[in-house]
PDB file of all heavy atoms in Angstrom:
ATOM      1  N   SER A  68      -1.896   5.995  26.160  1.00  0.00           N
ATOM      2  CA  SER A  68      -3.222   6.036  26.781  1.00  0.00           C
ATOM      3  C   SER A  68      -3.507   7.381  27.436  1.00  0.00           C
ATOM      4  O   SER A  68      -4.487   7.525  28.155  1.00  0.00           O
ATOM      5  CB  SER A  68      -3.362   4.912  27.816  1.00  0.00           C
ATOM      6  OG  SER A  68      -2.421   5.086  28.852  1.00  0.00           O
ATOM      7  N   GLY A  69      -2.644   8.369  27.186  1.00  0.00           N
ATOM      8  CA  GLY A  69      -2.835   9.676  27.815  1.00  0.00           C
ATOM      9  C   GLY A  69      -3.643  10.626  26.951  1.00  0.00           C
ATOM     10  O   GLY A  69      -4.014  10.322  25.820  1.00  0.00           O
ATOM     11  N   ASP A  70      -3.891  11.786  27.518  1.00  0.00           N
ATOM     12  CA  ASP A  70      -4.688  12.816  26.857  1.00  0.00           C
ATOM     13  C   ASP A  70      -3.847  13.508  25.789  1.00  0.00           C
ATOM     14  O   ASP A  70      -2.825  14.107  26.098  1.00  0.00           O
ATOM     15  CB  ASP A  70      -5.142  13.815  27.924  1.00  0.00           C
ATOM     16  CG  ASP A  70      -6.092  14.867  27.367  1.00  0.00           C
ATOM     17  OD1 ASP A  70      -6.172  15.000  26.129  1.00  0.00           O
ATOM     18  OD2 ASP A  70      -6.739  15.542  28.174  1.00  0.00           O
ATOM     19  N   PRO A  71      -4.273  13.445  24.520  1.00  0.00           N
ATOM     20  CA  PRO A  71      -3.476  14.046  23.448  1.00  0.00           C
ATOM     21  C   PRO A  71      -3.397  15.570  23.567  1.00  0.00           C
ATOM     22  O   PRO A  71      -2.508  16.191  22.992  1.00  0.00           O
ATOM     23  CB  PRO A  71      -4.200  13.637  22.170  1.00  0.00           C
ATOM     24  CG  PRO A  71      -5.583  13.274  22.589  1.00  0.00           C
ATOM     25  CD  PRO A  71      -5.494  12.804  24.003  1.00  0.00           C
ATOM     26  N   GLY A  72      -4.341  16.171  24.320  1.00  0.00           N
ATOM     27  CA  GLY A  72      -4.313  17.620  24.463  1.00  0.00           C
ATOM     28  C   GLY A  72      -3.381  18.061  25.573  1.00  0.00           C
ATOM     29  O   GLY A  72      -3.119  19.251  25.762  1.00  0.00           O
ATOM     30  N   ASP A  73      -2.893  17.073  26.325  1.00  0.00           N
ATOM     31  CA  ASP A  73      -2.049  17.356  27.470  1.00  0.00           C
ATOM     32  C   ASP A  73      -0.613  17.170  26.986  1.00  0.00           C
ATOM     33  O   ASP A  73      -0.059  16.104  27.086  1.00  0.00           O
ATOM     34  CB  ASP A  73      -2.408  16.332  28.558  1.00  0.00           C
ATOM     35  CG  ASP A  73      -1.924  16.775  29.907  1.00  0.00           C
ATOM     36  OD1 ASP A  73      -1.330  17.861  29.994  1.00  0.00           O
ATOM     37  OD2 ASP A  73      -2.141  16.016  30.869  1.00  0.00           O
ATOM     38  N   SER A  74      -0.041  18.207  26.419  1.00  0.00           N
ATOM     39  CA  SER A  74       1.232  18.024  25.707  1.00  0.00           C
ATOM     40  C   SER A  74       2.369  17.714  26.672  1.00  0.00           C
ATOM     41  O   SER A  74       2.318  18.057  27.841  1.00  0.00           O
ATOM     42  CB  SER A  74       1.564  19.276  24.903  1.00  0.00           C
ATOM     43  OG  SER A  74       1.815  20.334  25.801  1.00  0.00           O
ATOM     44  N   GLY A  75       3.341  17.067  26.150  1.00  0.00           N
ATOM     45  CA  GLY A  75       4.542  16.828  26.943  1.00  0.00           C
ATOM     46  C   GLY A  75       4.623  15.427  27.484  1.00  0.00           C
ATOM     47  O   GLY A  75       5.189  14.543  26.845  1.00  0.00           O
ATOM     48  N   ARG A  76       4.024  15.179  28.632  1.00  0.00           N
ATOM     49  CA  ARG A  76       4.189  13.878  29.271  1.00  0.00           C
ATOM     50  C   ARG A  76       3.469  12.783  28.494  1.00  0.00           C
ATOM     51  O   ARG A  76       2.363  12.980  28.006  1.00  0.00           O
ATOM     52  CB  ARG A  76       3.645  13.941  30.692  1.00  0.00           C
ATOM     53  CG  ARG A  76       4.529  14.777  31.577  1.00  0.00           C
ATOM     54  CD  ARG A  76       4.243  14.529  33.035  1.00  0.00           C
ATOM     55  NE  ARG A  76       5.337  15.070  33.826  1.00  0.00           N
ATOM     56  CZ  ARG A  76       5.413  14.998  35.147  1.00  0.00           C
ATOM     57  NH1 ARG A  76       4.451  14.405  35.822  1.00  0.00           N
ATOM     58  NH2 ARG A  76       6.438  15.500  35.781  1.00  0.00           N
ATOM     59  N   LEU A  77       4.130  11.643  28.417  1.00  0.00           N
ATOM     60  CA  LEU A  77       3.547  10.512  27.709  1.00  0.00           C
ATOM     61  C   LEU A  77       3.032   9.510  28.727  1.00  0.00           C
ATOM     62  O   LEU A  77       3.686   9.233  29.732  1.00  0.00           O
ATOM     63  CB  LEU A  77       4.600   9.863  26.817  1.00  0.00           C
ATOM     64  CG  LEU A  77       4.983  10.678  25.572  1.00  0.00           C
ATOM     65  CD1 LEU A  77       6.236  10.126  24.938  1.00  0.00           C
ATOM     66  CD2 LEU A  77       3.838  10.687  24.572  1.00  0.00           C
ATOM     67  N   VAL A  78       1.836   8.980  28.450  1.00  0.00           N
ATOM     68  CA  VAL A  78       1.181   8.078  29.397  1.00  0.00           C
ATOM     69  C   VAL A  78       0.907   6.737  28.709  1.00  0.00           C
ATOM     70  O   VAL A  78       0.461   6.702  27.558  1.00  0.00           O
ATOM     71  CB  VAL A  78      -0.134   8.711  29.901  1.00  0.00           C
ATOM     72  CG1 VAL A  78      -0.868   7.759  30.835  1.00  0.00           C
ATOM     73  CG2 VAL A  78       0.142  10.035  30.599  1.00  0.00           C
ATOM     74  N   TYR A  79       1.219   5.663  29.412  1.00  0.00           N
ATOM     75  CA  TYR A  79       1.014   4.313  28.868  1.00  0.00           C
ATOM     76  C   TYR A  79       0.376   3.436  29.936  1.00  0.00           C
ATOM     77  O   TYR A  79       0.805   3.473  31.094  1.00  0.00           O
ATOM     78  CB  TYR A  79       2.352   3.679  28.463  1.00  0.00           C
ATOM     79  CG  TYR A  79       3.106   4.497  27.454  1.00  0.00           C
ATOM     80  CD1 TYR A  79       4.001   5.483  27.869  1.00  0.00           C
ATOM     81  CD2 TYR A  79       2.915   4.309  26.090  1.00  0.00           C
ATOM     82  CE1 TYR A  79       4.688   6.257  26.952  1.00  0.00           C
ATOM     83  CE2 TYR A  79       3.595   5.070  25.170  1.00  0.00           C
ATOM     84  CZ  TYR A  79       4.482   6.044  25.595  1.00  0.00           C
ATOM     85  OH  TYR A  79       5.152   6.806  24.674  1.00  0.00           O
ATOM     86  N   THR A  80      -0.617   2.654  29.547  1.00  0.00           N
ATOM     87  CA  THR A  80      -1.188   1.692  30.478  1.00  0.00           C
ATOM     88  C   THR A  80      -0.737   0.305  30.037  1.00  0.00           C
ATOM     89  O   THR A  80      -0.965  -0.089  28.888  1.00  0.00           O
ATOM     90  CB  THR A  80      -2.720   1.816  30.508  1.00  0.00           C
ATOM     91  OG1 THR A  80      -3.040   3.160  30.884  1.00  0.00           O
ATOM     92  CG2 THR A  80      -3.324   0.861  31.517  1.00  0.00           C
ATOM     93  N   VAL A  81      -0.080  -0.394  30.936  1.00  0.00           N
ATOM     94  CA  VAL A  81       0.589  -1.651  30.581  1.00  0.00           C
ATOM     95  C   VAL A  81       0.074  -2.770  31.463  1.00  0.00           C
ATOM     96  O   VAL A  81       0.003  -2.627  32.688  1.00  0.00           O
ATOM     97  CB  VAL A  81       2.122  -1.527  30.789  1.00  0.00           C
ATOM     98  CG1 VAL A  81       2.823  -2.796  30.321  1.00  0.00           C
ATOM     99  CG2 VAL A  81       2.670  -0.310  30.074  1.00  0.00           C
ATOM    100  N   ARG A  82      -0.285  -3.875  30.840  1.00  0.00           N
ATOM    101  CA  ARG A  82      -0.698  -5.044  31.592  1.00  0.00           C
ATOM    102  C   ARG A  82       0.474  -6.014  31.639  1.00  0.00           C
ATOM    103  O   ARG A  82       1.096  -6.314  30.613  1.00  0.00           O
ATOM    104  CB  ARG A  82      -1.891  -5.688  30.901  1.00  0.00           C
ATOM    105  CG  ARG A  82      -2.457  -6.852  31.668  1.00  0.00           C
ATOM    106  CD  ARG A  82      -3.616  -7.415  30.886  1.00  0.00           C
ATOM    107  NE  ARG A  82      -4.269  -8.467  31.636  1.00  0.00           N
ATOM    108  CZ  ARG A  82      -5.142  -9.292  31.105  1.00  0.00           C
ATOM    109  NH1 ARG A  82      -5.460  -9.168  29.834  1.00  0.00           N
ATOM    110  NH2 ARG A  82      -5.698 -10.231  31.817  1.00  0.00           N
ATOM    111  N   SER A  83       0.750  -6.491  32.812  1.00  0.00           N
ATOM    112  CA  SER A  83       1.895  -7.374  32.986  1.00  0.00           C
ATOM    113  C   SER A  83       1.530  -8.784  32.545  1.00  0.00           C
ATOM    114  O   SER A  83       0.749  -9.465  33.203  1.00  0.00           O
ATOM    115  CB  SER A  83       2.305  -7.368  34.455  1.00  0.00           C
ATOM    116  OG  SER A  83       3.252  -8.372  34.668  1.00  0.00           O
ATOM    117  N   VAL A  84       2.090  -9.211  31.407  1.00  0.00           N
ATOM    118  CA  VAL A  84       1.793 -10.557  30.911  1.00  0.00           C
ATOM    119  C   VAL A  84       3.042 -11.360  30.560  1.00  0.00           C
ATOM    120  O   VAL A  84       2.951 -12.529  30.212  1.00  0.00           O
ATOM    121  CB  VAL A  84       0.865 -10.534  29.672  1.00  0.00           C
ATOM    122  CG1 VAL A  84      -0.538 -10.133  30.044  1.00  0.00           C
ATOM    123  CG2 VAL A  84       1.413  -9.607  28.604  1.00  0.00           C
ATOM    124  N   GLY A  85       4.212 -10.721  30.641  1.00  0.00           N
ATOM    125  CA  GLY A  85       5.424 -11.455  30.284  1.00  0.00           C
ATOM    126  C   GLY A  85       6.640 -10.734  30.829  1.00  0.00           C
ATOM    127  O   GLY A  85       6.526  -9.790  31.615  1.00  0.00           O
ATOM    128  N   LYS A  86       7.796 -11.175  30.352  1.00  0.00           N
ATOM    129  CA  LYS A  86       9.054 -10.664  30.895  1.00  0.00           C
ATOM    130  C   LYS A  86       9.189  -9.146  30.714  1.00  0.00           C
ATOM    131  O   LYS A  86       9.452  -8.415  31.662  1.00  0.00           O
ATOM    132  CB  LYS A  86      10.225 -11.377  30.201  1.00  0.00           C
ATOM    133  CG  LYS A  86      11.563 -11.133  30.884  1.00  0.00           C
ATOM    134  CD  LYS A  86      12.697 -11.847  30.145  1.00  0.00           C
ATOM    135  CE  LYS A  86      13.082 -11.112  28.874  1.00  0.00           C
ATOM    136  NZ  LYS A  86      14.416 -11.421  28.343  1.00  0.00           N
ATOM    137  N   ALA A  87       8.966  -8.685  29.482  1.00  0.00           N
ATOM    138  CA  ALA A  87       9.207  -7.264  29.211  1.00  0.00           C
ATOM    139  C   ALA A  87       8.133  -6.379  29.843  1.00  0.00           C
ATOM    140  O   ALA A  87       8.440  -5.332  30.419  1.00  0.00           O
ATOM    141  CB  ALA A  87       9.276  -7.026  27.706  1.00  0.00           C
ATOM    142  N   THR A  88       6.850  -6.825  29.782  1.00  0.00           N
ATOM    143  CA  THR A  88       5.804  -6.009  30.405  1.00  0.00           C
ATOM    144  C   THR A  88       5.982  -5.996  31.919  1.00  0.00           C
ATOM    145  O   THR A  88       5.728  -4.982  32.574  1.00  0.00           O
ATOM    146  CB  THR A  88       4.391  -6.532  30.060  1.00  0.00           C
ATOM    147  OG1 THR A  88       4.381  -7.938  30.205  1.00  0.00           O
ATOM    148  CG2 THR A  88       4.004  -6.152  28.643  1.00  0.00           C
ATOM    149  N   ASN A  89       6.427  -7.126  32.464  1.00  0.00           N
ATOM    150  CA  ASN A  89       6.719  -7.178  33.901  1.00  0.00           C
ATOM    151  C   ASN A  89       7.762  -6.159  34.292  1.00  0.00           C
ATOM    152  O   ASN A  89       7.621  -5.448  35.284  1.00  0.00           O
ATOM    153  CB  ASN A  89       7.268  -8.563  34.245  1.00  0.00           C
ATOM    154  CG  ASN A  89       6.360  -9.267  35.210  1.00  0.00           C
ATOM    155  OD1 ASN A  89       5.879  -8.643  36.152  1.00  0.00           O
ATOM    156  ND2 ASN A  89       6.113 -10.532  34.962  1.00  0.00           N
ATOM    157  N   ALA A  90       8.827  -6.106  33.479  1.00  0.00           N
ATOM    158  CA  ALA A  90       9.897  -5.152  33.761  1.00  0.00           C
ATOM    159  C   ALA A  90       9.367  -3.718  33.658  1.00  0.00           C
ATOM    160  O   ALA A  90       9.735  -2.860  34.454  1.00  0.00           O
ATOM    161  CB  ALA A  90      11.052  -5.357  32.782  1.00  0.00           C
ATOM    162  N   LEU A  91       8.471  -3.494  32.707  1.00  0.00           N
ATOM    163  CA  LEU A  91       7.916  -2.142  32.541  1.00  0.00           C
ATOM    164  C   LEU A  91       7.084  -1.730  33.745  1.00  0.00           C
ATOM    165  O   LEU A  91       7.248  -0.637  34.275  1.00  0.00           O
ATOM    166  CB  LEU A  91       7.029  -2.095  31.289  1.00  0.00           C
ATOM    167  CG  LEU A  91       7.607  -1.514  30.013  1.00  0.00           C
ATOM    168  CD1 LEU A  91       6.547  -1.558  28.915  1.00  0.00           C
ATOM    169  CD2 LEU A  91       8.094  -0.091  30.201  1.00  0.00           C
ATOM    170  N   VAL A  92       6.172  -2.612  34.177  1.00  0.00           N
ATOM    171  CA  VAL A  92       5.291  -2.224  35.274  1.00  0.00           C
ATOM    172  C   VAL A  92       6.038  -2.156  36.608  1.00  0.00           C
ATOM    173  O   VAL A  92       5.571  -1.534  37.547  1.00  0.00           O
ATOM    174  CB  VAL A  92       4.050  -3.144  35.411  1.00  0.00           C
ATOM    175  CG1 VAL A  92       3.248  -3.148  34.129  1.00  0.00           C
ATOM    176  CG2 VAL A  92       4.446  -4.550  35.812  1.00  0.00           C
ATOM    177  N   ASN A  93       7.191  -2.796  36.661  1.00  0.00           N
ATOM    178  CA  ASN A  93       7.975  -2.725  37.891  1.00  0.00           C
ATOM    179  C   ASN A  93       8.915  -1.531  37.919  1.00  0.00           C
ATOM    180  O   ASN A  93       9.690  -1.369  38.874  1.00  0.00           O
ATOM    181  CB  ASN A  93       8.762  -4.021  38.099  1.00  0.00           C
ATOM    182  CG  ASN A  93       7.847  -5.129  38.589  1.00  0.00           C
ATOM    183  OD1 ASN A  93       6.982  -4.894  39.432  1.00  0.00           O
ATOM    184  ND2 ASN A  93       8.006  -6.321  38.042  1.00  0.00           N
ATOM    185  N   CYS A  94       8.882  -0.696  36.880  1.00  0.00           N
ATOM    186  CA  CYS A  94       9.699   0.516  36.890  1.00  0.00           C
ATOM    187  C   CYS A  94       9.268   1.413  38.041  1.00  0.00           C
ATOM    188  O   CYS A  94       8.083   1.505  38.355  1.00  0.00           O
ATOM    189  CB  CYS A  94       9.505   1.282  35.573  1.00  0.00           C
ATOM    190  SG  CYS A  94      10.465   0.600  34.231  1.00  0.00           S
ATOM    191  N   GLN A  95      10.244   2.053  38.629  1.00  0.00           N
ATOM    192  CA  GLN A  95       9.958   2.985  39.726  1.00  0.00           C
ATOM    193  C   GLN A  95      10.125   4.407  39.208  1.00  0.00           C
ATOM    194  O   GLN A  95      10.926   4.637  38.297  1.00  0.00           O
ATOM    195  CB  GLN A  95      10.932   2.743  40.889  1.00  0.00           C
ATOM    196  CG  GLN A  95      10.861   1.350  41.476  1.00  0.00           C
ATOM    197  CD  GLN A  95       9.486   1.040  42.041  1.00  0.00           C
ATOM    198  OE1 GLN A  95       8.881   1.869  42.717  1.00  0.00           O
ATOM    199  NE2 GLN A  95       8.969  -0.146  41.715  1.00  0.00           N
ATOM    200  N   PRO A  96       9.378   5.346  39.781  1.00  0.00           N
ATOM    201  CA  PRO A  96       9.598   6.734  39.396  1.00  0.00           C
ATOM    202  C   PRO A  96      11.073   7.094  39.567  1.00  0.00           C
ATOM    203  O   PRO A  96      11.695   6.712  40.573  1.00  0.00           O
ATOM    204  CB  PRO A  96       8.722   7.518  40.375  1.00  0.00           C
ATOM    205  CG  PRO A  96       7.638   6.566  40.749  1.00  0.00           C
ATOM    206  CD  PRO A  96       8.278   5.205  40.751  1.00  0.00           C
ATOM    207  N   GLY A  97      11.614   7.783  38.607  1.00  0.00           N
ATOM    208  CA  GLY A  97      13.039   8.133  38.654  1.00  0.00           C
ATOM    209  C   GLY A  97      13.883   7.245  37.762  1.00  0.00           C
ATOM    210  O   GLY A  97      14.948   7.627  37.311  1.00  0.00           O
ATOM    211  N   GLN A  98      13.386   6.043  37.503  1.00  0.00           N
ATOM    212  CA  GLN A  98      14.084   5.138  36.596  1.00  0.00           C
ATOM    213  C   GLN A  98      13.856   5.624  35.155  1.00  0.00           C
ATOM    214  O   GLN A  98      12.886   6.333  34.892  1.00  0.00           O
ATOM    215  CB  GLN A  98      13.479   3.743  36.771  1.00  0.00           C
ATOM    216  CG  GLN A  98      14.405   2.605  36.465  1.00  0.00           C
ATOM    217  CD  GLN A  98      13.702   1.282  36.764  1.00  0.00           C
ATOM    218  OE1 GLN A  98      13.002   1.157  37.763  1.00  0.00           O
ATOM    219  NE2 GLN A  98      13.915   0.311  35.890  1.00  0.00           N
ATOM    220  N   TRP A  99      14.726   5.230  34.256  1.00  0.00           N
ATOM    221  CA  TRP A  99      14.575   5.684  32.874  1.00  0.00           C
ATOM    222  C   TRP A  99      14.212   4.523  31.961  1.00  0.00           C
ATOM    223  O   TRP A  99      14.636   3.390  32.191  1.00  0.00           O
ATOM    224  CB  TRP A  99      15.876   6.334  32.376  1.00  0.00           C
ATOM    225  CG  TRP A  99      16.175   7.653  33.024  1.00  0.00           C
ATOM    226  CD1 TRP A  99      16.237   7.904  34.367  1.00  0.00           C
ATOM    227  CD2 TRP A  99      16.443   8.899  32.372  1.00  0.00           C
ATOM    228  NE1 TRP A  99      16.527   9.227  34.596  1.00  0.00           N
ATOM    229  CE2 TRP A  99      16.668   9.863  33.384  1.00  0.00           C
ATOM    230  CE3 TRP A  99      16.516   9.295  31.038  1.00  0.00           C
ATOM    231  CZ2 TRP A  99      16.962  11.196  33.099  1.00  0.00           C
ATOM    232  CZ3 TRP A  99      16.814  10.613  30.752  1.00  0.00           C
ATOM    233  CH2 TRP A  99      17.022  11.555  31.770  1.00  0.00           C
ATOM    234  N   VAL A 100      13.412   4.813  30.957  1.00  0.00           N
ATOM    235  CA  VAL A 100      13.123   3.829  29.913  1.00  0.00           C
ATOM    236  C   VAL A 100      13.396   4.471  28.552  1.00  0.00           C
ATOM    237  O   VAL A 100      13.480   5.696  28.445  1.00  0.00           O
ATOM    238  CB  VAL A 100      11.657   3.315  29.968  1.00  0.00           C
ATOM    239  CG1 VAL A 100      11.358   2.588  31.258  1.00  0.00           C
ATOM    240  CG2 VAL A 100      10.675   4.469  29.767  1.00  0.00           C
TER     241      VAL A 100
END
Side-chain angles (χ1 to χ4, degrees):
Chain A
S68 62
D70 185 345
D73 198 0
S74 66
R76 289 197 165 181
L77 288 167
V78 177
Y79 302 89
T80 302
V81 184
R82 184 181 185 193
S83 170
V84 289
K86 192 181 76 160
T88 45
N89 242 318
L91 260 181
V92 302
N93 284 319
C94 280
Q95 300 299 316
Q98 208 177 319
W99 290 53
V100 297

